[in-house]
DNA sequence: GCCCAGGTATAAA
DNA sequence: TTTATACATGGG
């Protein structure tokens, strides 16, 4: 995606390839908040960002070029032509038009592996507003102040905490899961950094040794935290996505499975043949 | 009060 | 191998 350096920061001519609301509110991430002017504020690592849409121009406010190239380019996956992929797919596979339209502008973020793992452990049997609340309290309690945000606490920051210490998060039964995940990651028993390239099945098995990590949390961690677009058994999950959301829904409503649909599209493009579940 | 939320562990069939 | 239930919490 083309970018230019301006007095406002980095500007992108994204067109339909980047919709901020769709991207931040589809359930793949939990720490980006809309402000009163329609921009979104968040923090990745120790880098805060405000990003907004000025009539189709996406502006990364006051971001130096070096930081853009080393962090945000990859975080927002700006080197992948999502819109082009969607157009190609719509042409090849008209029956997916409804699904394709519903995920217009969603980009798959490259979140930090530990943050993604921890976030999706918290997400189980939970709703998005409450997930965001628990994660916010987790960062305020155990992260460190960074501008107007808090960093996400590391696994070693959390590994020696007791369930009692996590009680103020009001995470319920998930508190023990968070602690177990922190212990296993901090000890090296679960090696997140190697999962960028390790065989997918090995990654799944390793993640699922953590208490409270099942199929869903493992897949979400791999897709959103390690950018493994080969994650998700798409033929299974797409059927669920199609049946729950893509028939006759309000086009303005984002599917909770939009991320799965997006991933399906990448899978489809790579393989060029429709999957059975798309019939 | 009741239902459910982007699930998982556990026990039972 | 598949199916039912509890699990903490809080918003609608």
């Amino acid at each position: 995606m083309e970018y230019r350096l301006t007095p406002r920061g980095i500007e992108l001519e994204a067109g339909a390839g980047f919709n901020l609301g769709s991207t931040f509110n589809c359930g793949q991430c939990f720490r980006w908040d809309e402000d009163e002017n329609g921009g979104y504020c968040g923090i990745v690592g120790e880098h805060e960002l405000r990003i907004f849409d000025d009539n189709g121009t996406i502006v990364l406010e006051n971001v130096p070029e070096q930081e853009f190239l080393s962090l945000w380019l990859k975080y927002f996956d700006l080197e992948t032509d999502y819109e082009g992929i969607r157009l190609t797919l719509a042409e090849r596979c008209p029956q997916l038009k409804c699904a394709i339209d519903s995920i217009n502008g969603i980009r798959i973020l490259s979140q930090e592996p530990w943050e993604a793992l921890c976030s999706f452990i918290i997400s189980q049997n939970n709703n998005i507003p409450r997930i965001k609340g628990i994660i916010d309290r987790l960062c305020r309690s155990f992260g460190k102040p960074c501008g107007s945000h808090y960093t996400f606490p590391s696994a070693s920051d959390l590994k020696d905490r007791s369930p009692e210490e996590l009680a103020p998060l009001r995470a319920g039964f998930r508190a023990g899961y968070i602690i177990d995940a922190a212990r296993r990651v901090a000890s090296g028993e679960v090696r997140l950094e190697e999962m960028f390239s390790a065989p997918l099945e090995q990654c799944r098995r390793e993640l699922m040794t953590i208490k409270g990590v099942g199929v869903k949390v493992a897949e979400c961690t791999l897709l959103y935290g390690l950018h493994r677009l080969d994650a998700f058994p798409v033929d299974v999950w797409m059927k669920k996505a199609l049946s729950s959301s893509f028939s006759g829904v309000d086009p303005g409503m984002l599917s909770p499975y939009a991320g799965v649909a997006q991933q399906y599209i990448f899978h489809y493009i790579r393989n060029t043949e429709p999957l059975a579940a798309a019939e």
Side-chain angles (χ1 to χ4, degrees):
Chain A
M1 189 179 292
E2 297 296 318
Y3 74 91
R4 59 174 186 272
L5 205 49
T6 76
R8 294 198 289 186
I10 299 288
E11 301 194 6
L12 311 171
E13 293 309 324
F18 195 172
N19 182 297
L20 296 179
S22 306
T23 297
F24 291 132
N25 298 324
C26 73
Q28 67 172 315
C29 60
F30 305 98
R31 287 219 294 160
W32 288 91
D33 293 306
E34 191 170 6
D35 67 19
E36 57 279 2
N37 299 313
Y40 285 82
C41 297
I43 179 170
V44 174
E46 299 188 358
H47 297 278
E48 294 182 286
L49 173 68
R50 179 170 185 272
I51 186 169
F52 61 94
D53 187 332
D54 180 15
N55 291 106
T57 297
I58 302 292
V59 183
L60 286 77
E61 203 167 69
N62 300 322
V63 169
E65 186 171 26
Q66 179 51 42
E67 181 181 313
F68 173 73
L69 293 174
S70 62
L71 175 62
W72 302 113
L73 193 68
K74 289 185 175 54
Y75 184 79
F76 291 115
D77 199 12
L78 296 173
E79 290 168 309
T80 300
D81 180 14
Y82 284 61
E83 178 64 0
I85 289 172
R86 272 191 292 272
L87 292 173
T88 304
L89 181 63
E91 212 167 282
R92 277 192 208 164
C93 197
Q95 70 268 35
L96 282 178
K97 186 178 186 316
C98 181
I100 294 163
D101 289 346
S102 78
I103 58 169
N104 190 298
I106 292 180
R107 308 191 72 80
I108 304 269
L109 303 177
S110 285
Q111 302 177 60
E112 295 188 292
W114 164 249
E115 176 172 342
L117 170 60
C118 208
S119 297
F120 284 101
I121 285 173
I122 291 167
S123 81
Q124 70 176 257
N125 193 231
N126 214 340
N127 56 62
I128 290 178
R130 214 171 83 83
I131 295 164
K132 292 182 76 166
I134 292 168
I135 292 175
D136 184 56
R137 291 188 287 278
L138 176 69
C139 295
R140 287 173 189 279
S141 304
F142 302 107
K144 65 180 185 188
C146 183
S148 55
H149 291 83
Y150 286 83
T151 61
F152 196 94
S154 69
S156 37
D157 289 335
L158 296 172
K159 72 180 165 63
D160 295 320
R161 305 294 178 179
S162 64
E164 292 71 32
E165 288 176 280
L166 294 194
L169 307 182
R170 283 167 282 153
F173 61 85
R174 305 166 193 85
Y177 296 165
I178 295 169
I179 294 166
D180 188 60
R183 273 204 266 264
R184 286 174 190 270
V185 169
S187 73
E189 213 174 322
V190 171
R191 300 156 298 178
L192 292 175
E193 290 304 322
E194 295 184 13
M195 293 187 189
F196 285 106
S197 55
L200 201 56
E201 271 311 317
Q202 179 191 316
C203 300
R204 288 183 174 127
R205 274 199 306 276
E206 203 163 308
L207 285 168
M208 288 173 64
T209 61
I210 299 167
K211 281 200 200 78
V213 175
V215 177
K216 177 68 184 311
V217 173
E219 300 298 328
C220 284
T221 300
L222 289 165
L223 177 56
Y224 300 118
L226 291 139
H227 211 67
R228 291 292 295 257
L229 299 178
D230 51 344
F232 271 97
V234 285
D235 49 342
V236 175
W237 287 90
M238 192 62 194
K239 186 174 279 183
K240 190 170 181 179
L242 285 168
S243 65
S244 64
S245 312
F246 294 140
S247 49
V249 293
D250 172 359
M253 279 289 290
L254 279 173
S255 158
Y257 288 94
V260 179
Q262 177 75 79
Q263 192 274 335
Y264 170 80
I265 285 176
F266 280 93
H267 189 285
Y268 177 85
I269 288 294
R270 269 203 315 279
N271 292 283
T272 67
E273 294 297 329
L275 295 169
E279 300 301 326

